Amino acid sequence: MALVEQIGEEGGVRRYRLKNPVTLEPIGEFVAAGSDDVRSAVERARKAQKEWAKLSFDQRAEYLWRLVDVIVERQDEIIDCVIAETGKTRNEAVSMEVMAPCLQISHYAKRARKYLATQKRPASGMLRFSKKITLVYKPLGVVGLITPWNGPVVLTANPLAQALMAGNAVVHKPSEVTPLSALVLKDLTEAAGFPEDLYQVIQGDGETGAALVSAGVDKVSFTGSVATGRKVGEACGRRLIPVTLELGGKDAMIVCADADLDRAADGAVRGSCFNTGHYCCGTERVYVPEEIYGPFVEKVVDQMKTLKQSDTGDCDVGAVFWDKQMDILCDHLADATAKGAKVLVGGGRNASLPGYFFEPTVVTDVNHDMELMKSETFGPIVAIQKVKDEEEAIRLANDSEYGLSGNVWTTDLEKGVAIGERVETGSVSVNDISVTYGIAEAPFGGVKSSGVGQVNGETGIRGYCHTHPIIVDTSKKAQGGYPYTIEGANGMQKFVKRLFGNRFLRKLVV
Ligand code: NAD
């Protein structure tokens, strides 16, 4: 049974019905916006942005502080809506969709002024005597924000806060799997007194997302799968607009022989099962040297067996948010077992519950011929591969088309950092599950197929701006100019030879 079902199409208008993944009861309907609706939303946003950009950082921040007040006051509305749409646990709804957004919005309300302060400085080297540089961080205009279903509020609130504090307006296309949470957030921004049309939500499917990309926006902030990311990247390339692509991953966990095994086993379980495994930086592959393999697997198995699932909300591992994801989990597991993998815990859909629950699962004897170790699985599965040593673990961790994040476990912290440097991913954690996205000032983004560009912190918020250099000539007289003479060109050549022909002077003048 489809949780997101198209129930009609009339005159190009597509209507969808949503179902709760835990109860399978209908929870709402929505209509996908057409390209004309999207275009007019962008035009309205452009008008709102002009006024918004005139405000000071403190004035913009005041709106964000009010939004945090409203989120804190009305957090149950977010929690109830996210749980109804996704079936995630209450703990995860609070930590991921309320606490993290409060932290991120507050971070940019407080720090955007510093991150985006106009900078004035002399040019470097010999130009310092005649040129002064003023760097102004100018807003881009209207940002098209396209988001996935696994963190409907957090993955919206974070880019929204950055785009707004940088002086932009935002038109948001949430996932068709979780469109209602976006409406709750929109409602909260209205309660916080946001100017009309500054943040707009357009409901819809992939077609609506594509329409937003070509509706005249000045930047696209996209979070989602690699396949869609490629399409969005191509469309932005054709329009010559900037884009950040935050895409899928296949994060590896490297357990060193000297790791604290209790802590590492706990990390494997949390990293794989958090948010039902629907976490872009979730642990998808675990590499363990043979000398600690037995005890490590035993600890993981013991802990995985204790994880509860229920349809009452009081559980450790919630529902699978989307029926299509359930199919992927079952396919990857079937492929792995057909190729020799062993299932030690769980192993399929939880038949004791009516909703879309997948049992917390431990699989061993896996290898890189299996989809489970190659493609993004995005479910509560701990897949453990025995390796000879740490070197083999690093080699296998890097044997992936993805490069989002990953984690290294060792009691030798310097070694952890050294291994972290060798892992070919956008970020890495030592002795923790991948937490980079939650550390507001850490630039976050994937390498290889996991993305283009970085979000968050100073780097991320500057991505919502054009860095506009204004160069002022402070010399008393005009420099150079017409008429050209051969003597002038000869003089320049001598100057180049004298200055750049000498290594000492070369360093002095730049
Ligand atoms: P998806 O790519 O299917 O959809 C993402 C969004 O794109 C949705 O809103 C969808 O409607 C829209 N869309 C679909 N086709 C489009 C098109 N042609 N043009 C424009 N928009 C279009 O991804 P999903 O299944 O919703 O999300 C899960 C994926 O997101 C996973 O791969 C996960 O790893 C990834 N993700 C990445 C990060 C990160 O920060 N790197 C964070 C969360 C999720």
Side-chain angles (χ1 to χ4, degrees), residues 141-278:
V142 179
V143 173
L145 175 62
I146 303 177
T147 52
W149 45 264
N150 62 319
V153 180
V154 66
L155 295 171
T156 303
N158 190 28
L160 178 67
Q162 295 177 50
L164 293 184
M165 280 310 295
N168 302 284
V170 173
V171 178
H172 174 209
K173 209 300 282 175
S175 167
E176 54 272 48
V177 184
T178 52
L180 305 179
S181 315
L183 292 183
V184 172
L185 185 62
K186 164 79 181 139
D187 217 26
L188 301 185
T189 61
E190 280 171 14
F194 274 38
E196 203 178 352
D197 297 329
L198 183 70
Y199 168 52
Q200 294 172 68
V201 176
I202 46 163
Q203 302 289 19
D205 46 22
E207 240 178 85
T208 312
L212 177 58
V213 175
S214 42
V217 293
D218 302 292
K219 168 173 176 144
V220 173
S221 167
F222 175 83
T223 307
S225 65
V226 174
T228 312
R230 280 190 211 284
K231 290 187 203 162
V232 171
E234 281 168 17
C236 289
R238 278 195 297 278
R239 304 192 66 80
L240 298 178
I241 52 172
V243 61
T244 48
L245 301 172
E246 295 302 319
L247 309 179
K250 190 74 195 166
D251 284 9
M253 170 176 186
I254 296 173
V255 187
C256 296
D258 63 357
D260 173 336
L261 279 199
D262 288 317
R263 188 170 172 174
D266 176 69
V269 173
R270 273 190 303 129
S272 306
C273 295
F274 175 69
N275 209 39
T276 319
H278 306 327

Side-chain angles (χ1 to χ4, degrees), residues 35-328:
S35 50
D36 288 347
D37 301 331
V38 176
R39 230 164 235 291
S40 37
V42 172
E43 277 163 25
R44 289 196 303 274
R46 196 166 296 291
K47 286 201 190 114
Q49 190 269 336
K50 296 255 180 307
E51 294 308 308
W52 177 251
K54 291 179 190 160
L55 302 186
S56 67
F57 287 118
D58 287 348
Q59 287 170 318
R60 289 179 209 155
E62 189 46 39
Y63 286 95
L64 269 69
W65 291 128
R66 283 212 294 268
L67 177 59
V68 176
D69 291 339
V70 177
I71 291 177
V72 171
E73 216 170 276
R74 293 171 53 184
Q75 53 182 289
D76 282 328
E77 289 174 43
I78 296 182
I79 296 164
D80 293 345
C81 181
V82 168
I83 291 176
E85 275 187 325
T86 66
K88 69 169 71 183
T89 66
R90 194 169 178 85
N91 286 58
E92 286 160 355
V94 177
S95 68
M96 198 170 167
E97 312 288 2
V98 174
M99 198 155 71
C102 285
L103 185 96
Q104 291 155 336
I105 299 167
S106 302
H107 181 90
Y108 296 103
K110 178 177 170 188
R111 290 176 204 271
R113 180 223 278 248
K114 180 166 163 254
Y115 290 152
L116 302 180
T118 296
Q119 296 176 27
K120 291 188 180 196
R121 53 175 180 248
S124 58
M126 63 183 179
L127 290 180
R128 86 165 64 92
F129 303 110
S130 60
K131 308 283 182 207
K132 276 210 172 112
I133 306 172
T134 302
L135 287 183
V136 182
Y137 294 97
K138 287 167 78 171
L140 294 172
V142 179
V143 173
L145 175 62
I146 303 177
T147 52
W149 45 264
N150 62 319
V153 180
V154 66
L155 295 171
T156 303
N158 190 28
L160 178 67
Q162 295 177 50
L164 293 184
M165 280 310 295
N168 302 284
V170 173
V171 178
H172 174 209
K173 209 300 282 175
S175 167
E176 54 272 48
V177 184
T178 52
L180 305 179
S181 315
L183 292 183
V184 172
L185 185 62
K186 164 79 181 139
D187 217 26
L188 301 185
T189 61
E190 280 171 14
F194 274 38
E196 203 178 352
D197 297 329
L198 183 70
Y199 168 52
Q200 294 172 68
V201 176
I202 46 163
Q203 302 289 19
D205 46 22
E207 240 178 85
T208 312
L212 177 58
V213 175
S214 42
V217 293
D218 302 292
K219 168 173 176 144
V220 173
S221 167
F222 175 83
T223 307
S225 65
V226 174
T228 312
R230 280 190 211 284
K231 290 187 203 162
V232 171
E234 281 168 17
C236 289
R238 278 195 297 278
R239 304 192 66 80
L240 298 178
I241 52 172
V243 61
T244 48
L245 301 172
E246 295 302 319
L247 309 179
K250 190 74 195 166
D251 284 9
M253 170 176 186
I254 296 173
V255 187
C256 296
D258 63 357
D260 173 336
L261 279 199
D262 288 317
R263 188 170 172 174
D266 176 69
V269 173
R270 273 190 303 129
S272 306
C273 295
F274 175 69
N275 209 39
T276 319
H278 306 327
Y279 176 39
C280 56
C281 299
T283 298
E284 297 244 334
R285 306 174 282 149
V286 184
Y287 301 104
V288 187
E290 53 198 11
E291 61 194 287
I292 53 162
Y293 178 80
F296 176 82
V297 171
E298 203 174 302
K299 285 177 193 294
V300 170
V301 164
D302 287 349
Q303 199 177 333
M304 286 290 277
K305 281 183 179 161
T306 67
L307 299 184
K308 295 182 298 241
Q309 280 187 315
S310 83
D311 52 6
T312 64
D314 173 25
C315 67
D316 299 310
V317 179
V320 168
F321 300 2
W322 196 15
D323 47 294
K324 288 196 179 169
Q325 202 60 45
M326 177 65 90
D327 295 342
I328 295 173

